[in-house]
Amino acid sequence: SLLPPLLALLCLGAADPSADPEEPWCPYKVGGDAAGARLCFRPPARGFQCSARGCRAHRSAGGALVANVLRNGSVLLQWGLRHWGAPAPRPSAALRGFLLNCSWDGTYTRFPCDSVELGAACRDYLLAEAHGGVRYRLCLRPRFAPPRPAPPAQCVEFRVEPAAMRDIVVAMTAVGGSICVMLVFICLLVAYITENLMSPRGGRAAAAAAR
């Protein structure tokens, strides 16, 4: 019978030695997904820090939710439980997940983004493509098992810089740096001419050399 070898292969495939139990995958569902809110998984972005050169961080009023707006137009959301007053030492015992709601300002009204349901192991989420030049508002709420009530949501607002504006800023920075370098050289040249050719001593030296 081929059944025992197949079962052995399945067991070996399920036991992945490279899997790290300390970093579980983040399961999530996108409410407005055209595929019917199918379940997806993403690895956690542990250890990410927003650098001043390529990122701008926006924190919610309560401090639990942080939106890291990257230079490429994507937004990495990070959050923790201690700002919601989660019980210690095992806050995940009653935690059932998170609910993320998104909206952005249009010209005359506010448009809803896709709502996302995230698992209890999730501590970050990536908005891969955000509209440039509009103001976003994202609210995150943890969900606990009864009888514990759901705490209030924490919200963060930010504006993504348009891609064209980012290119203009980079180009202006490069041009401005080149102009500054040219001005420095011109000032040094003028100072050299003034010191060596226009002074009386320099004029007498030039006349003596001519004789």
Side-chain angles (χ1 to χ4, degrees), residues 3-201:
L3 184 59
L6 290 177
L7 291 177
L9 289 175
L10 289 176
C11 292
L12 290 175
D16 186 4
S18 63
D20 189 356
E22 297 297 329
E23 292 194 1
W25 287 70
C26 169
Y28 67 95
K29 287 184 178 180
V30 181
D33 193 354
R38 60 183 178 181
L39 183 64
C40 302
F41 295 87
R42 62 179 302 270
R46 301 292 175 88
F48 174 83
Q49 294 183 354
C50 186
S51 62
R53 296 184 61 182
C55 175
R56 180 174 297 179
H58 302 267
R59 188 177 296 272
S60 62
L65 180 63
V66 179
N68 301 294
V69 182
L70 305 177
R71 188 177 295 274
N72 60 3
S74 59
V75 181
L76 178 64
L77 303 173
Q78 294 177 310
W79 60 86
L81 284 176
R82 63 186 181 91
H83 296 280
W84 270 294
R90 294 185 59 193
S92 61
L95 183 64
R96 292 295 179 262
F98 301 89
L99 181 61
L100 177 66
N101 290 319
C102 172
S103 61
W104 58 277
D105 288 331
T107 305
Y108 301 104
T109 185
R110 179 177 289 271
F111 296 93
C113 311
D114 294 335
S115 60
V116 184
E117 298 180 15
L118 301 114
C122 301
R123 294 296 181 271
D124 53 55
Y125 181 72
L126 180 65
L127 296 176
E129 296 181 359
H131 296 283
V134 298
R135 187 169 187 83
Y136 279 86
R137 177 180 174 86
L138 290 95
C139 297
L140 184 73
R141 181 194 303 271
R143 297 184 298 175
F144 291 94
R148 182 176 180 181
Q154 294 208 17
C155 302
V156 61
E157 295 187 2
F158 57 89
R159 185 181 299 274
V160 179
E161 187 179 358
M165 183 61 66
R166 291 195 299 268
D167 296 338
I168 292 174
V169 170
V170 171
M172 291 180 64
T173 303
V175 173
S178 302
I179 293 175
C180 290
V181 172
M182 292 177 61
L183 289 176
V184 169
F185 278 112
I186 292 173
C187 292
L188 292 176
L189 182 60
V190 170
Y192 176 80
I193 293 174
T194 304
E195 180 68 21
N196 294 279
L197 299 180
M198 302 301 294
S199 63
R201 186 176 57 186

